[in-house]
Amino acid sequence: MNGSSARTQWASRLGFILAAAGSAIGLGNIWKFPYITGQNGGGAFVLVYLLCILLVGLPIMMAELHIGRHGQRDAVGCFAVLEGKPTRWRFIGWLGVSSSFLLLSFYAVVAGWSFDYVVQAASGAFQARSAEEINAVFAQLVSSPGQVVFWQGSFLVATAGIVLGGVRGGIERWSKILMPLLFLLLLLLFFRGMLSPGAKAGLEFMFRPDFSKLTPAALLDALGHAFFTLSLGAGTMITYGSYLDRQADLLSLSVRITLLDIMVALLAGLAIFPVVFAAGLEPGSGPGLVFQTIPIVFSAMPFGSVLAVLFFLLLSFAAMSSSISMLEVSVSYLVDEKGWRRGLATMVLGLAAFVIGLPSALSFNLLADVTPFFGQTFFDFANALVSSYLLPLGGFSVAVYAGWFWKGERLQDELSGGKIRPWLYPLWHFLVKYVAPAAVAVVLLNQMGWFTP
Ligand code: PFF
């Protein structure tokens, strides 16, 4: 069962792009990006988020793919291959396995809401309804423990089912069909948003920066979200990179994944904020935002119910192509390092994610008043811990390793898949060696109050 020789590879380059983009594009783009943009005041936040993606996220994505592809092993075992001996750097893999697992546990809760919305939309719950009525649908859902847990569990069963099918059969095949469809539907919603009376206010909110809104916490949210949205710092891109062949051009792959990811997030924002302003909703209302706004758009459209079903189906799929990648990190660890059978590893880990996710699922109802972590519910705490601390820390460690310790100069050509780009290695190396670690350190220290008197 030990990795290297007969290791599966992606069936095609396009398949890899779609699967890696499938990992990147998920609830982070459509659920999280709009609501944290709303909470952090819009334009200036969006700008910092874009900068973090380009200067920090993109180089770290290349580093992770490079490490994985060179090691051809799971996120933990990879480092032993790179160093040629057992090494402490394994902790990066460990950190990734833990973060992606914790992330999966609460991600499944939100994805479960999306499953529920498919059924609600199909039963006409959003047809010709007012904003208040649609709000009530969301409030009713999250306050029902049984309903939330049922969908959280169903989502994990579906995720595990696809992971069981393995890299090619499961992940790659579905991504090819459903990702483009999601993109089309978002385009439709975007045009609809641009024609709505809230279009101007929505555009201004997203693109007119007001730097007075940039608190240290907003900076941390933007940086953390850059990692979250690109699936970095969680071992995912190392694992996915390990299924890539040596000729793959990591620069062009990473650029494409990143651009697709940014586009989907911006489209989602541009679909949602016009509705927020036209319907007089609160942009900073939090995790319910997409569930409270998108049904409003469909409610007033011809064939709205059908389109709403389709939208939440595709959102659920986008979530699944991300959750698959989270589960794959720990599954491939158990398979490559511990010799487990793939099927057993998938089932045990899926079940464990369900149990660990229960307190998050109950955070909106039975445990809403249980706030042992800095006054936060389990859900809020896990969400903040993963995005604002664990992923940036994982990304920081990858950058430090790749920039300072890995003898990567010899592998310059690997970065370009053999193409001649003399500028690429020095630029990439500069970004991972200095810019990325410094940015993470400054933002974290700033949040801890180091730079404020
Ligand atoms: N990038 C995913 C999203 O935006 O929804 C979330 C994610 C997936 C984060 C996989 C980290 C990860 F390893």
Side-chain angles (χ1 to χ4, degrees), residues 154-166 170 320 324 327 346-347:
S154 313
F155 178 79
L156 282 168
V157 168
T159 300
I162 298 191
V163 172
L164 274 180
M320 219 182 298
I324 288 164
L327 188 54
T346 308
M347 285 191 281

Side-chain angles (χ1 to χ4, degrees), residues 8-11 14-16 18-20 22-23 157-179 240 243 317-318 320-325 327-328 342 346:
T8 340
Q9 301 226 321
W10 302 101
L14 179 68
F16 167 78
L18 288 173
S23 166
V157 168
T159 300
I162 298 191
V163 172
L164 274 180
V167 169
R168 279 195 196 188
I171 305 174
E172 199 171 336
R173 188 157 43 132
W174 285 99
S175 302
K176 258 191 212 163
I177 310 168
L178 296 174
M179 295 310 290
Y240 271 24
Y243 305 121
F317 179 76
M320 219 182 298
S321 60
S322 302
S323 60
I324 288 164
S325 72
L327 188 54
E328 180 67 22
R342 193 172 173 87
T346 308

Side-chain angles (χ1 to χ4, degrees), residues 74-91:
D74 64 287
V76 178
C78 236
F79 290 92
V81 176
L82 263 54
E83 292 296 298
K85 55 177 192 289
T87 159
R88 295 242 161 91
W89 289 109
R90 254 185 339 194
F91 88 88

Side-chain angles (χ1 to χ4, degrees), residues 311-361:
F311 176 81
F312 286 105
L313 257 181
L314 291 172
L315 180 62
S316 307
F317 179 76
M320 219 182 298
S321 60
S322 302
S323 60
I324 288 164
S325 72
M326 296 168 207
L327 188 54
E328 180 67 22
V329 176
S330 25
V331 167
S332 77
Y333 166 69
L334 287 182
V335 171
D336 281 358
E337 300 304 310
K338 303 287 174 205
W340 283 43
R341 276 184 301 117
R342 193 172 173 87
L344 183 67
T346 308
M347 285 191 281
V348 169
L349 290 166
L351 188 66
F354 174 70
V355 174
I356 294 174
L358 283 175
S360 291

